[in-house]
Amino acid sequence: MATEDKNRATAAAILPLVGGAANVSSIAHCMTRLRLGLHDRSLVDDEALKALPAVMGVVEDDTYQIVLGPGTVARVTPEFEQLVEEGREAAPPQAAVSSDDLAAQGAAIKAQQKAKNATPFKLFLRKIANIFVPLIPALIGCGIIAGLNGLLVNLGRLPAVTPALAAMASGFMALIAVFVGYNTAKEFGGTPILGGAVAAIIVFPGVANIDAFGQTLSPGQGGVLGALGAAVLAVYVEKWCRRWVPEALDVLVTPTLTVLISGLATIFGLMYVAGEISSAIGTFADWLLSNGGAGAGFVLGGLFLPLVMLGLHQALIPIHTTLIEQQGYTVLLPILAMAGAGQVGAAMAVYFRLPRNESIRRTIKSALPAGLLGVGEPLIYGVSLPLGRPFITACVGGAFGGGFVGLFNQLGDTVGSTAIGPSGWALFPLLDGNHGLGSTIAIYGAGLLVGYVAGFLATYFFGFSKDLLTEFNVSQDPAPSTVTATGGPHPHPSPDTDTDTDTGRAKGPGSPDSTDPGSPEKAPVRV
């Protein structure tokens, strides 16, 4: 009961600071963030939100994103949805008129804010992320069960239980194409169930009786990529039908033609093409790490943080899912997870290089536990990115960690993850490989250590210029002590934390762009 009250209190504290129930147009959440569609962005109080104990930061994107952390966000979101619903029901009748005006104002503001980053490519990547992110909890749960089952099988324990565990772990993956098709149609503006129906063709056992391009099809051929393409095609066919089918016949003709046309195209085209692409992805990933593992790991680990900042990492989600579907695990995620290790090492170095800056040190101490578990937003947005050069040296740490794991892949010790989402220490339960769990865990753990050490050394010795060190290694005004919803210190202890209006990234306390009573003016980020 105490936990429910805490989550309710967090939701209740957030709601008025985002403009109340009438200002909320949509509610969703991912692994760490509460994602809100808002009518009027100007009604949001960023500073008060970031001062809330449970809030790790805020990010402005196509939605307004409040970072709450894994676990917490999944519990707060239902409470927030209930409060929004109650607020709308309690609104006076005339609110309907004012909400229209509010929506018009918000649409204009939102259009201005999104214009800078709303490139077609980024919008497409956001759609891809919206398709796959809702699947991550099932991937994680089934992945952990698969790991447990593998351990029991290897130890020869509980032989009567392991077949049941195998069914639990494999059932979702056997039908993942259906879920991808459903989410794809929903995201692209079609009828979700029709997208799922067309994608279900891919996993139907009966396709083994069909020949296409001189080959016999196999159930699951094309996987999630085929399901993605099939559902997108179904959406366009459905919209085409809506334009000319009489309303009286729509309920019969439109779904029939949608499934028929897109289904035939899927069977006699998309399954083959997507199957070839999926096979090429798996072959290329294996070849890359087998022949250039150390170099490839170095590049991938070093570039992942910048990819995250640009939103381009979303393009990797279908690749991870395809590899998991094909091989049982993705060999890319453990390498990319080293970027978080470099970030943790860089933050530790900043802590020791700025012994007089209580504000930044307080942020680091409170954000490190989340960083170790793979939640990097507090350290990125609150420490390394605002300082500039430490963000680059964090990438260096990630590069060395990625190179280490890639080297072992090159030597034949494959390290993979059975699900996407977690990183850092949270990835340990999802690890899998080709030489036993003990070896896989040891290599991944050693890679994290390399990332920590490399990030620390690079930042400690090269992360600060003389002028930057002089500017930041000064005492700050004491900030109010806060405690997170889980009982720990708050990662944003100072209400002076500012937000970059161009990128939506939270700036760390004491950063060059934040208002500091001890500084005569705001200085630019220095590298």
Side-chain angles (χ1 to χ4, degrees):
M1 185 62 183
T3 301
E4 294 178 0
D5 290 342
K6 176 188 68 178
N7 296 326
R8 182 86 172 182
T10 299
I14 291 174
L15 183 57
L17 300 180
V18 296
N23 195 36
V24 178
S25 61
S26 65
I27 305 170
H29 75 87
C30 58
M31 287 290 295
T32 60
R33 304 178 185 184
L34 173 63
R35 298 170 178 258
L36 303 178
L38 301 174
H39 293 299
D40 188 347
R41 173 65 179 80
S42 66
L43 297 180
V44 177
D45 191 337
D46 296 286
E47 302 307 318
L49 270 173
K50 288 182 286 186
L52 291 178
V55 175
M56 296 180 177
V58 297
V59 179
E60 176 67 43
D61 204 340
D62 56 328
T63 56
Y64 189 77
Q65 303 171 15
I66 303 172
V67 184
L68 298 174
T72 300
V73 69
R75 292 168 173 80
V76 170
T77 300
E79 300 291 346
F80 188 85
E81 290 174 334
Q82 184 176 350
L83 288 174
V84 169
E85 186 63 27
E86 292 173 357
R88 289 171 178 168
E89 291 175 354
Q94 63 269 25
V97 177
S98 62
S99 66
D100 291 339
D101 296 335
L102 192 64
Q105 298 171 10
I109 296 173
K110 189 173 183 179
Q112 293 175 358
Q113 292 174 335
K114 292 177 64 177
K116 296 179 182 178
N117 295 317
T119 63
F121 183 62
K122 285 191 175 182
L123 291 175
F124 175 75
L125 290 181
R126 286 173 188 158
K127 286 183 178 291
I128 296 298
N130 290 340
I131 292 167
F132 286 93
V133 166
L135 306 179
I136 289 178
L139 285 169
I140 293 173
C142 295
I144 292 177
I145 292 173
L148 175 62
N149 183 63
L151 181 62
L152 291 175
V153 170
N154 292 335
L155 295 176
R157 302 291 180 86
L158 302 177
V161 176
T162 51
L165 293 178
M168 297 176 198
S170 304
F172 173 74
M173 290 306 302
L175 297 175
I176 189 173
V178 179
F179 294 97
V180 170
Y182 183 95
N183 287 347
T184 301
K186 180 179 179 181
E187 185 63 29
F188 280 84
T191 301
I193 198 65
L194 292 179
V198 174
I201 297 170
I202 293 174
V203 296
F204 178 60
V207 298
N209 300 320
I210 302 172
D211 292 333
F213 297 97
Q215 297 181 5
T216 300
L217 296 178
S218 59
Q221 185 174 338
V224 296
L225 297 182
L228 185 64
V232 170
L233 177 60
V235 170
Y236 282 102
V237 172
E238 180 186 0
K239 290 181 178 179
W240 171 71
C241 290
R242 303 278 185 206
R243 289 199 294 266
W244 62 270
V245 174
E247 186 174 343
L249 299 176
D250 180 77
V251 69
L252 297 175
V253 176
T254 297
T256 303
L257 289 180
T258 298
V259 175
L260 179 63
I261 296 173
S262 55
L264 288 172
T266 298
I267 293 172
F268 294 104
L270 282 176
M271 284 186 67
Y272 175 80
V273 174
E276 293 298 307
I277 295 174
S278 298
S279 297
I281 289 174
T283 301
F284 178 73
D286 291 338
W287 176 88
L288 182 65
L289 295 180
S290 297
N291 294 276
F298 190 91
V299 172
L300 291 171
L303 292 180
F304 189 62
L305 283 180
L307 288 178
V308 171
M309 302 311 305
L310 295 172
L312 300 179
H313 67 297
Q314 295 166 344
L316 297 173
I317 297 177
I319 296 176
H320 288 310
T321 309
T322 298
L323 292 175
I324 292 171
E325 197 176 30
Q326 284 182 349
Q327 305 173 0
Y329 51 77
T330 168
V331 293
L332 298 180
L333 185 60
I335 292 175
L336 300 176
M338 295 300 121
Q343 176 65 55
V344 168
M348 292 178 177
V350 171
Y351 183 88
F352 286 105
R353 289 290 274 166
L354 301 178
R356 296 174 182 167
N357 193 316
E358 301 91 345
S359 180
I360 290 181
R361 284 164 64 92
R362 190 162 45 241
T363 299
I364 293 172
K365 284 192 295 184
S366 58
L368 265 179
L372 291 169
L373 292 174
V375 182
E377 288 98 338
L379 289 176
I380 294 174
Y381 300 138
V383 181
S384 64
L385 190 62
L387 292 175
R389 190 179 292 187
F391 181 76
I392 298 175
T393 53
C395 294
V396 172
F400 276 95
F404 179 88
V405 176
L407 175 62
F408 277 89
N409 275 275
Q410 187 174 354
L411 297 175
D413 286 311
T414 301
V415 178
S417 169
T418 58
I420 57 177
S423 60
W425 293 4
L427 195 61
F428 277 109
L430 296 168
L431 292 176
D432 196 3
N434 61 347
H435 282 108
L437 188 58
S439 173
T440 303
I441 289 176
I443 294 171
Y444 179 74
L448 287 178
L449 183 60
V450 170
Y452 295 152
V453 173
F456 180 91
L457 294 177
T459 305
Y460 192 88
F461 291 107
F462 305 106
F464 291 89
S465 64
K466 184 177 180 181
D467 291 341
L468 195 64
L469 191 61
T470 300
E471 179 178 352
F472 281 95
N473 192 24
V474 293
S475 179
Q476 306 290 310
D477 285 346
S481 176
T482 57
V483 179
T484 65
T486 56
H490 185 267
H492 296 278
S494 172
D496 293 326
T497 304
D498 198 7
T499 302
D500 189 324
T501 56
D502 290 332
T503 64
R505 294 190 287 264
K507 299 174 183 176
S511 71
D513 285 334
S514 62
T515 304
D516 179 5
S519 301
E521 59 181 358
K522 291 185 179 181
V525 173
R526 299 184 180 179
V527 176

